[in-house]
Amino acid sequence: MQRIVRIASRALAGAVALVLVGAACAPGGGSSGSSAPRAQPQRVPVAEDLPAERARLEDQARRSPRSVDARVALGEVYYRSARDALDRERDEDRYLEFLALSVEEFVAAG
Protein backbone atom coordinates (compact mmCIF):
# COMPACT_ATOMS: atom_id res chain seq x y z
CA MET A 1 0.00 0.00 0.00
CA GLN A 2 2.91 2.36 0.65
CA ARG A 3 3.98 1.88 -2.97
CA ILE A 4 0.52 2.99 -4.12
CA VAL A 5 0.74 6.05 -1.88
CA ARG A 6 4.16 6.98 -3.32
CA ILE A 7 2.93 6.53 -6.89
CA ALA A 8 -0.24 8.53 -6.22
CA SER A 9 1.77 11.32 -4.58
CA ARG A 10 4.10 11.53 -7.58
CA ALA A 11 1.16 11.53 -9.98
CA LEU A 12 -0.46 14.36 -8.05
CA ALA A 13 2.76 16.37 -8.01
CA GLY A 14 2.99 15.98 -11.79
CA ALA A 15 -0.65 16.96 -12.27
CA VAL A 16 -0.23 20.03 -10.08
CA ALA A 17 2.84 21.09 -12.00
CA LEU A 18 1.05 20.70 -15.33
CA VAL A 19 -1.97 22.67 -14.15
CA LEU A 20 0.14 25.48 -12.74
CA VAL A 21 2.26 25.73 -15.88
CA GLY A 22 -0.84 25.56 -18.08
CA ALA A 23 -2.62 28.21 -16.02
CA ALA A 24 0.39 30.51 -16.14
CA CYS A 25 0.68 30.13 -19.91
CA ALA A 26 -3.03 30.59 -20.63
CA PRO A 27 -4.27 33.93 -21.96
CA GLY A 28 -5.18 36.13 -19.04
CA GLY A 29 -2.91 34.17 -16.68
CA GLY A 30 -5.32 31.27 -16.44
CA SER A 31 -8.32 33.23 -15.27
CA SER A 32 -11.65 32.59 -16.93
CA GLY A 33 -11.03 34.84 -19.93
CA SER A 34 -10.59 38.15 -18.12
CA SER A 35 -7.40 40.10 -17.86
CA ALA A 36 -8.06 40.93 -14.21
CA PRO A 37 -5.30 39.95 -11.80
CA ARG A 38 -5.70 36.62 -10.05
CA ALA A 39 -6.96 36.57 -6.50
CA GLN A 40 -4.33 36.51 -3.80
CA PRO A 41 -4.00 33.19 -1.95
CA GLN A 42 -6.01 33.01 1.22
CA ARG A 43 -4.87 31.59 4.52
CA VAL A 44 -4.33 27.85 4.61
CA PRO A 45 -7.07 26.19 6.66
CA VAL A 46 -6.06 24.06 9.63
CA ALA A 47 -7.22 20.45 9.72
CA GLU A 48 -10.31 21.30 11.75
CA ASP A 49 -11.38 23.85 9.08
CA LEU A 50 -11.02 21.46 6.14
CA PRO A 51 -14.61 20.09 6.06
CA ALA A 52 -16.10 23.61 6.12
CA GLU A 53 -13.58 24.85 3.56
CA ARG A 54 -14.30 21.86 1.30
CA ALA A 55 -18.04 22.54 1.46
CA ARG A 56 -17.55 26.24 0.69
CA LEU A 57 -15.26 25.58 -2.26
CA GLU A 58 -17.42 22.73 -3.61
CA ASP A 59 -20.36 25.16 -3.64
CA GLN A 60 -18.23 27.81 -5.34
CA ALA A 61 -17.04 25.31 -7.97
CA ARG A 62 -20.66 24.24 -8.62
CA ARG A 63 -21.72 27.86 -9.11
CA SER A 64 -18.72 28.68 -11.35
CA PRO A 65 -17.66 25.42 -13.02
CA ARG A 66 -15.29 27.21 -15.43
CA SER A 67 -13.44 29.15 -12.74
CA VAL A 68 -9.81 28.07 -12.70
CA ASP A 69 -9.27 29.72 -9.32
CA ALA A 70 -12.19 27.84 -7.75
CA ARG A 71 -11.04 24.50 -9.19
CA VAL A 72 -7.42 24.96 -8.10
CA ALA A 73 -8.46 26.07 -4.61
CA LEU A 74 -10.77 23.05 -4.29
CA GLY A 75 -8.00 20.75 -5.55
CA GLU A 76 -5.64 22.18 -2.95
CA VAL A 77 -8.15 21.63 -0.14
CA TYR A 78 -8.81 18.08 -1.36
CA TYR A 79 -5.06 17.45 -1.34
CA ARG A 80 -4.73 18.87 2.21
CA SER A 81 -7.64 16.64 3.22
CA ALA A 82 -5.85 13.66 1.67
CA ARG A 83 -2.66 14.41 3.58
CA ASP A 84 -4.65 14.90 6.77
CA ALA A 85 -6.36 11.53 6.28
CA LEU A 86 -3.00 9.83 5.85
CA ASP A 87 -0.89 11.74 8.37
CA ARG A 88 -3.33 12.24 11.25
CA GLU A 89 -5.94 9.53 10.73
CA ARG A 90 -3.72 6.84 9.12
CA ASP A 91 -6.64 6.14 6.76
CA GLU A 92 -5.19 5.15 3.39
CA ASP A 93 -8.61 4.65 1.77
CA ARG A 94 -9.70 8.22 2.58
CA TYR A 95 -6.27 9.44 1.47
CA LEU A 96 -6.68 7.82 -1.94
CA GLU A 97 -10.27 9.07 -2.23
CA PHE A 98 -9.30 12.69 -1.56
CA LEU A 99 -6.19 12.37 -3.69
CA ALA A 100 -8.32 11.25 -6.66
CA LEU A 101 -10.71 14.17 -6.09
CA SER A 102 -7.76 16.55 -5.95
CA VAL A 103 -6.34 15.31 -9.24
CA GLU A 104 -9.79 15.57 -10.86
CA GLU A 105 -10.06 19.22 -9.83
CA PHE A 106 -6.55 20.08 -11.05
CA VAL A 107 -7.27 18.41 -14.39
CA ALA A 108 -10.64 20.20 -14.67
CA ALA A 109 -8.86 23.50 -13.98
CA GLY A 110 -6.40 22.87 -16.82
Side-chain angles (χ1 to χ4, degrees), residues 25-110:
C25 294
S31 61
S32 57
S34 72
S35 59
R38 294 185 65 143
Q40 293 298 315
Q42 297 178 358
R43 69 173 183 84
V44 176
V46 294
E48 293 78 22
D49 294 342
L50 287 173
E53 190 71 3
R54 274 195 317 267
R56 185 183 74 77
L57 290 171
E58 287 168 345
D59 184 52
Q60 183 178 353
R62 263 192 304 279
R63 286 191 322 258
S64 304
R66 291 187 169 179
S67 171
V68 171
D69 291 334
R71 293 290 187 176
V72 169
L74 183 55
E76 290 171 351
V77 169
Y78 280 150
Y79 180 72
R80 287 188 41 78
S81 298
R83 292 303 314 177
D84 187 60
L86 187 63
D87 296 340
R88 287 178 17 137
E89 300 169 19
R90 306 284 189 244
D91 187 338
E92 292 179 358
D93 291 335
R94 285 194 74 214
Y95 168 77
L96 292 173
E97 177 184 336
F98 280 122
L99 186 63
L101 290 170
S102 178
V103 170
E104 286 176 23
E105 291 303 321
F106 288 132
V107 169

